[in-house]
Amino acid sequence: MSILGGGIFKGMGVTLRNFVGSYFRKERLTTNDYSWRPENKLPQSIGDYPKEEGEQLSDTTTVNHYSRNFPMLLHDTGEPMDTIRCVACRICERECPPQCIYIEKSTEKKEDADGKPQFYPAKFDIDVSVCMSCQICVEVCPFDAIVMNSQFELSTPDRFGGLLVRRDDLLKSNDYYHKIHPQEAASRDQKMADEKAAKEAKKKAAAEKVKAAAEAKAAAAEAANESKKDTE
Amino acid sequence: MTLAAPNYELLHQEGLETSLLEISMGPHHPSTHGVFRMDVKLDGETVVDLKPVFGYLHRNHEKLAENMTYLSSMPFTDRLDYFNSMTNNWAYALAAEKLIEVEVPERAEYLRVIMAELTRLVNHVTLVGFFMNDLGALGTPLMYAFREREKILDLFEQASGARMMCNYFRFGGLRNDVPEGWLDRTREVVDRFPAFLDEYERLLCENEIILSRTQGVGNLSRELAVNAGITGPMLRASGVNYDLRKVDAYGIYDRFKFRVPYTDGDTGDCYDRFMIRMLEMRESVAILKQALADIPEGDIIGKVSKVFKPKPAEVYGRIEGPKGELGFYLIADGTTKPYRYRVRPPSLINLTVLRDMCLGGQIADAVIILGSIDIVLGEVDR
Amino acid sequence: MSELSHESLLNEFPEALWDEAAGAVILPAVNARTIAEWLLASGWDYCSNVTGVDYLEAEVKEKITNDAGETETVTRTEPGRIDVVYHLYSMANKTGPLIIKQRTGREGATVKSLTPVWRSCDLQEREVYDLFGVDFKGHPDQRRILMWDEFEGHPMRRDYTEPFDYEWEPTPHAEILEKHQRGKVIV
């Protein structure tokens, strides 16, 4: 330290550099630059917010690839309840850390998208006032039935009912999922297709095994018959 | 500093009545970094007694975790020290991985180190900003600190989907791989960081006001620091070379070349604690550069089922968090839920010596001493 | 300096028990403080973690070999207890941990405070006192730490039941919570 107050002047120099520099270089600004975000995905002005009750912002409010807000239920192409993927196994309900999921299993089975009779959720409620967007339900779901939505304009004047999202409001199509999380949806579809193929291959192998066993049995029986004939 | 007792008799002779002043600083005092209270007894402006009072944010995190599965309490660890959710996740994952014995893939280990060191940068840069705020340098240093922090939080958001409640680590690895181009963006941020640190040091480290306010204030001797279980930068500022990244070498820290800054004296004051953090940030940048240079491709998570039942065992996993040793003590009893789940919070234990450091000092110094300890009430109260 | 391991502790104080399953040394109630001072003097300078563990009374089935040489399953009742666990490390030698435990009954739980030996136990023992209701004999400032002073009960005990929530209000979440409390969801 040469002169008293030298350190202070040095510091002042830094502030001056930042002040002047902020006119020329964006990274000197203390306010942040969000240019990496996809364009026009966030509401730009007050007019972009929904005006009427129930009206939603555009479908694609994805902020970035991994952004997670509240869960939604997926269904395949077709009528939502005919192609719902959820089979009400209630793993997500058990694993949900803040316990915001409420499921009631149906009493009878119904055909799912593949035509296989399955249970379905008679009730599937998510209390979004409790949900903490942790994505644990998505990870534990063995049927890829629940994924994260990116819809965040959920304000409601009704404190009690309005924040409890029911099954039919939670149901979204796979196409919608592809729109909001393209990469994730593609990889999930790929994974499901792989699993299905593996299952079918296994089934086929099992069937062939059964067939082979039956053939072998038949052959053995025939051989036995023939030997019987021989002894006769 | 020794406290000279005022001569009360003399004061009475002169017709002046005097008594000790009891002040409850907090829980809404702006300098206490949250809902924290200091019951201070003052003689004039000199601190005669000080009692930390907390628990306003207590939610019994441990009991909550004992009533849910191992995976379910992972997002709750984010809320302990909400500046450093990544390192909280890591400490918990490290303890649980001891229970289930799963191998973490190479790429995940590298990403864990990258995330932890970025978290350290976030924490230290925020702490220094708030520390200056406590000193009265309102605004400017904090704004510059937050500008840099924001860049790292953007990286977190791109990788994990959330800026602060990342919930990114899983037993045996990480939840998802980082998106395309993330590593390049991180390299950019890391490469620019030393220039910011240079500038920040020019702004603060020689400032005469800061020097006179912090040097010799809040002295903590080495013996007391060790005996009181102080950890992290605060311990190293008192002259103990103890960093779990070197001692335990958990994860893959033994592969990186970095130094552990610590003072050579027997005591540490507020300035030492501030400088140790500035130096630690440079070492974090060094680790980040090495990790980003040789991160391999590969899997992101080992083979582990989402719901598991570990064999009965007791484990204690600890890491060097930005605030100190963050430990998780788990007792498994063969069910899906931990029988006992305990967090060893560095913020809480570092508060042990708050009274010792403040006694005899000025009331204004108590504020900066608390600021230099670096507490987060989410972790103190749990 | 003696070797930093549990064996040297057990050699010095044969009355201490070694719990193989937990990897911990159980200190006898009588001279816990003396042992702690010896440990500090022999190099365990850093007490990292202090916590309590509550075990309810449980029925344990175990196989034993009786006098006739046959194995039979015997059910015995394990009395409830509270363990206070200390994790010790050595900063000077960079080794550890050594886990020591103090064991006490659930009713009128009392152990020796180790705060005079390691200052780091101060706030943590207060926390154990607050949440588990263990009385630390010799603690310099034993008060509630996280709960407020008027609070009754010890929340971390396993048989603790929540009092009536006077702030309760009907939310749609109530039915979910109720279902969870009935134990239908939690496995």
Side-chain angles (χ1 to χ4, degrees):
Chain A
M1 207 193 305
S2 51
I3 47 157
L4 188 66
I8 295 176
F9 279 114
K10 235 176 173 178
M12 292 288 202
V14 172
T15 9
L16 188 69
R17 257 184 76 179
N18 271 285
F19 172 66
V20 178
S22 66
Y23 284 95
F24 305 103
R25 294 177 62 191
K26 262 188 172 177
E27 63 264 22
R28 287 232 179 253
L29 281 172
T30 47
T31 45
N32 223 314
D33 172 23
Y34 283 103
S35 58
W36 57 268
R37 289 175 192 274
E39 261 181 51
N40 299 326
K41 291 290 167 65
L42 286 170
Q44 301 292 315
S45 66
I46 196 88
D48 295 346
Y49 285 94
K51 292 180 194 79
E52 283 167 37
E53 202 184 331
E55 189 190 339
Q56 295 286 358
L57 213 61
S58 75
D59 275 349
T60 50
T61 46
T62 307
V63 176
N64 74 37
H65 179 57
Y66 288 111
S67 75
R68 46 196 155 96
N69 223 316
F70 294 119
M72 61 180 182
L73 286 172
L74 275 189
H75 68 83
D76 295 317
T77 335
E79 274 298 298
M81 272 317 287
D82 290 344
T83 55
I84 184 170
R85 287 186 189 171
C86 175
V87 299
C89 67
R90 296 178 26 191
I91 291 179
C92 53
E93 187 184 27
R94 225 161 33 214
E95 288 288 321
C96 176
Q99 304 176 342
C100 70
I101 304 178
Y102 179 78
I103 302 173
E104 260 175 36
K105 205 175 184 171
S106 63
T107 44
E108 82 284 6
K109 287 187 176 183
K110 201 165 85 169
E111 285 188 357
D112 68 353
D114 293 341
K116 222 163 78 187
Q118 290 279 23
F119 287 109
Y120 61 94
K123 243 186 183 181
F124 196 115
D125 301 342
I126 291 180
D127 190 345
V128 294
S129 64
V130 177
C131 176
M132 60 190 208
S133 314
C134 65
Q135 215 179 333
I136 297 272
C137 53
V138 180
E139 283 166 49
V140 296
C141 183
F143 302 95
D144 299 281
I146 189 166
V147 292
M148 294 315 260
N149 200 344
S150 56
Q151 185 60 259
F152 56 84
E153 290 292 328
L154 296 159
S155 57
T156 165
D158 177 11
R159 180 156 75 104
F160 295 120
L163 291 170
L164 188 70
V165 187
R166 305 278 180 191
R167 181 194 67 190
D168 295 341
D169 300 326
L170 286 171
L171 269 170
K172 295 274 156 56
S173 71
N174 200 18
D175 298 337
Y176 171 78
Y177 180 42
H178 270 276
K179 221 187 278 173
I180 60 168
H181 291 302
Q183 284 162 291
E184 197 185 284
S187 67
R188 198 176 287 271
D189 277 4
Q190 184 62 41
K191 193 190 113 209
M192 280 178 78
D194 287 351
E195 271 170 15
K196 209 171 173 184
K199 223 177 188 177
E200 249 155 43
K202 213 174 160 189
K203 219 170 167 185
K204 216 172 165 186
E208 263 170 20
K209 213 175 168 189
V210 169
K211 210 173 155 191
E215 271 171 10
K217 212 174 169 188
E222 215 164 274
N225 273 346
E226 267 175 23
S227 61
K228 226 177 179 182
K229 263 183 200 164
D230 288 346
T231 48
E232 273 174 5
Chain B
M1 199 186 291
T2 51
L3 172 68
N7 192 340
Y8 291 105
E9 269 180 34
L10 190 75
L11 288 168
H12 280 293
Q13 279 171 8
E14 287 170 3
L16 286 168
E17 292 246 344
T18 171
S19 64
L20 293 180
L21 183 65
E22 282 182 42
I23 294 182
S24 169
M25 264 179 94
H28 294 293
H29 196 275
S31 74
T32 54
H33 300 257
V35 276
F36 176 76
R37 202 174 91 205
M38 292 189 278
D39 278 349
V40 211
K41 243 181 228 168
L42 295 178
D43 178 13
E45 284 207 19
T46 314
V47 179
V48 182
D49 196 6
L50 186 144
K51 269 183 194 163
V53 182
F54 41 85
Y56 298 96
L57 267 181
H58 182 55
R59 53 208 182 272
N60 221 335
H61 173 78
E62 295 175 6
K63 188 97 177 176
L64 284 174
E66 282 167 22
N67 285 313
M68 57 180 69
T69 56
Y70 286 90
L71 177 63
S72 297
S73 44
M74 183 63 91
F76 284 124
T77 60
D78 292 340
R79 275 102 179 141
L80 282 173
D81 175 355
Y82 38 77
F83 281 119
N84 312 324
S85 61
M86 292 283 192
T87 44
N88 295 345
N89 284 177
W90 195 1
Y92 180 45
L94 202 75
E97 277 159 12
K98 285 187 181 175
L99 283 175
I100 52 174
E101 285 167 12
V102 55
E103 202 164 315
V104 183
E106 192 90 332
R107 184 176 172 85
E109 287 279 26
Y110 271 92
L111 277 172
R112 281 179 170 197
V113 169
I114 292 170
M115 292 301 178
E117 294 308 319
L118 285 174
T119 307
R120 206 178 304 277
L121 291 181
V122 167
N123 179 70
H124 286 357
V125 89
T126 321
L127 171 95
V128 170
F130 277 120
F131 180 59
M132 291 303 144
N133 217 358
D134 288 341
L135 276 168
L138 294 168
T140 309
L142 185 64
M143 275 298 159
Y144 293 169
F146 264 51
R147 182 183 66 198
E148 301 309 308
R149 168 180 181 257
E150 207 72 356
K151 287 172 189 158
I152 299 173
L153 289 191
D154 282 347
L155 293 174
F156 285 168
E157 184 180 1
Q158 289 163 48
S160 74
R163 299 165 73 76
M164 287 175 82
M165 302 299 140
C166 298
N167 183 21
Y168 188 53
F169 286 49
R170 287 291 174 271
F171 312 129
L174 300 165
R175 195 181 67 213
N176 52 263
D177 205 345
V178 290
E180 230 172 281
W182 188 88
L183 290 172
D184 293 329
R185 279 194 288 270
T186 312
R187 273 181 207 118
E188 218 171 279
V189 170
V190 169
D191 287 343
R192 275 197 208 150
F193 210 84
F196 160 72
L197 282 178
D198 290 342
E199 196 179 271
Y200 214 49
E201 280 183 3
R202 263 207 307 284
L203 177 67
L204 302 172
C205 292
E206 287 172 39
N207 188 307
E208 282 81 3
I209 304 174
I210 291 172
L211 291 177
S212 63
R213 281 294 305 277
T214 54
Q215 283 185 335
V217 169
N219 281 327
L220 178 65
S221 69
R222 185 193 289 161
E223 289 75 36
L224 182 61
V226 172
N227 195 255
I230 308 300
T231 43
M234 202 171 152
L235 174 76
R236 294 190 281 276
S238 291
V240 185
N241 179 6
Y242 192 75
D243 188 320
L244 295 184
R245 289 176 291 174
K246 289 276 189 202
V247 175
D248 283 7
Y250 59 91
I252 49 163
Y253 270 113
D254 47 353
R255 295 188 199 174
F256 303 113
K257 266 179 88 176
F258 64 101
R259 294 170 298 172
V260 178
Y262 65 100
T263 54
D264 53 359
D266 277 343
T267 55
D269 55 21
C270 285
Y271 189 75
D272 291 336
R273 291 195 273 278
F274 155 66
M275 268 320 281
I276 288 284
R277 281 166 179 126
M278 296 295 284
L279 295 171
E280 239 175 51
M281 280 196 268
R282 294 198 184 268
E283 297 307 317
S284 286
V285 170
I287 298 175
L288 277 168
K289 278 189 177 157
Q290 294 168 50
L292 285 164
D294 32 81
I295 177 168
E297 289 291 322
D299 282 345
I300 208 70
I301 187 158
K303 278 208 182 333
V304 56
S305 68
K306 296 284 179 201
V307 184
F308 50 82
K309 290 183 179 175
K311 288 191 198 84
E314 294 184 15
V315 292
Y316 181 62
R318 54 178 198 160
I319 67 160
E320 179 75 31
K323 292 188 164 55
E325 174 188 327
L326 177 66
F328 278 81
Y329 175 56
L330 301 174
I331 299 184
D333 63 346
T335 62
T336 55
K337 292 181 272 183
Y339 185 80
R340 180 80 179 98
Y341 169 103
R342 149 87 180 164
V343 188
R344 183 227 187 253
S347 297
L348 172 80
I349 295 158
N350 287 357
L351 275 177
T352 312
V353 290
L354 176 66
R355 182 173 181 274
D356 304 64
M357 292 195 292
C358 289
L359 280 196
Q362 305 279 304
I363 179 73
D365 291 344
V367 171
I368 58 171
I369 291 169
L370 181 71
S372 73
I373 294 179
D374 189 11
I375 58 165
V376 158
L377 266 295
E379 189 176 72
V380 173
D381 293 345
R382 281 160 298 134
Chain C
M1 188 173 282
S2 59
E3 202 188 323
L4 290 174
S5 67
H6 66 270
E7 278 104 8
S8 58
L9 168 63
L10 293 173
N11 286 338
E12 188 79 20
F13 297 96
E15 62 270 36
L17 292 173
W18 170 246
D19 181 356
E20 183 64 48
V25 179
I26 296 159
L27 303 189
V30 202
N31 57 350
R33 180 82 66 77
T34 327
I35 296 180
E37 269 156 15
W38 180 83
L39 283 169
L40 176 66
S42 61
W44 297 103
D45 50 2
Y46 166 43
C47 176
S48 165
N49 180 37
V50 182
T51 189
V53 189
D54 183 16
Y55 295 95
L56 290 176
E57 192 177 278
E59 289 198 338
V60 190
K61 275 184 187 165
E62 58 179 22
K63 279 183 183 161
I64 54 157
T65 321
N66 61 11
D67 300 337
E70 297 159 346
T71 16
E72 58 177 334
T73 315
V74 185
T75 314
R76 66 185 166 84
T77 321
E78 183 119 311
R81 64 171 201 274
I82 292 180
D83 286 356
V84 182
V85 189
Y86 299 78
H87 285 76
L88 305 182
Y89 286 87
S90 170
M91 266 190 198
N93 301 302
K94 300 195 167 59
T95 51
L98 174 72
I99 306 169
I100 56 173
K101 288 185 179 183
Q102 296 196 67
R103 198 160 272 185
T104 172
R106 298 187 81 245
E107 297 299 317
T110 319
V111 297
K112 294 266 165 52
S113 169
L114 302 187
T115 306
V117 186
W118 294 286
R119 269 288 297 281
S120 53
C121 303
D122 187 353
L123 297 179
Q124 301 188 75
E125 280 184 350
R126 266 177 74 187
E127 190 185 312
V128 176
Y129 164 75
D130 186 359
L131 302 180
F132 286 91
V134 179
D135 188 14
F136 286 90
K137 281 271 171 296
H139 193 284
D141 181 26
Q142 185 169 280
R143 288 176 292 134
R144 281 195 181 271
I145 184 169
L146 293 171
M147 311 307 286
W148 55 102
D149 289 341
E150 297 79 21
F151 186 82
E152 282 171 20
H154 304 287
M156 280 305 285
R157 289 214 176 189
R158 291 194 84 84
D159 53 358
Y160 176 79
T161 46
E162 277 175 70
F164 175 69
D165 184 2
Y166 48 88
E167 285 179 341
W168 185 86
E169 54 176 312
T171 66
H173 191 60
E175 59 182 18
I176 303 175
L177 271 186
E178 198 189 321
K179 194 175 159 194
H180 277 273
Q181 270 158 12
R182 283 203 306 270
K184 271 194 174 174
V185 171
I186 293 172
V187 272

